[in-house]
Amino acid sequence: MTLEELESELRTLIVEALMLKDTTPEEIEPTAPLFFQGLGLDSIDALELSIAIEGRWGFKIETDDAEARKSFASVRTLAAFIWANIQANAGSEPLTTTHRS
């Protein structure tokens, strides 16, 4: 899996887990803010999303961890955080980066 594929999967998870009926995964820009401006998520959405991430990738995001909170800035930062945790837990399928222009 590439980081780009992880971002795509994460956008789909966001739409499905938060039941965003008026938003498609393709409409979520990887670098756009997830909270307030941008997608406009709130703290309840963050909790629901962290539960969905735990269910999908098998690790818990601690909300009292400042680094973890920063990871929710955008899809790209959240995907990088997930990527790092998967790598730290030595997932069976290595993730690879792709070059973006």
Side-chain angles (χ1 to χ4, degrees):
M1 174 181 282
T2 67
L3 185 54
E4 188 173 75
E5 291 167 336
L6 179 61
E7 286 180 5
S8 178
E9 189 171 335
L10 181 57
R11 289 192 312 251
T12 298
L13 181 72
I14 290 169
V15 169
E16 291 174 356
L18 303 180
M19 295 180 277
L20 302 177
K21 296 177 183 172
D22 296 331
T23 305
T24 65
E26 298 77 23
E27 292 174 325
I28 301 173
E29 291 293 324
T31 58
L34 291 176
F35 294 87
F36 308 112
Q37 45 191 269
L39 199 53
L41 303 182
D42 61 24
S43 60
I44 299 298
D45 294 323
L47 178 60
E48 291 177 5
L49 185 53
S50 66
I51 291 168
I53 289 168
E54 181 178 3
R56 171 60 185 95
W57 287 288
F59 67 90
K60 185 174 174 110
I61 298 177
E62 299 295 334
T63 56
D64 59 344
D65 180 351
E67 182 181 335
R69 282 194 309 270
K70 287 180 187 178
S71 71
F72 279 86
S74 69
V75 167
R76 181 145 303 151
T77 58
L78 190 52
F81 183 80
I82 292 167
W83 175 294
N85 276 277
I86 291 171
Q87 294 298 315
N89 293 324
S92 59
E93 180 183 336
L95 298 173
T96 58
T97 58
T98 57
H99 177 69
R100 290 191 186 104
S101 311

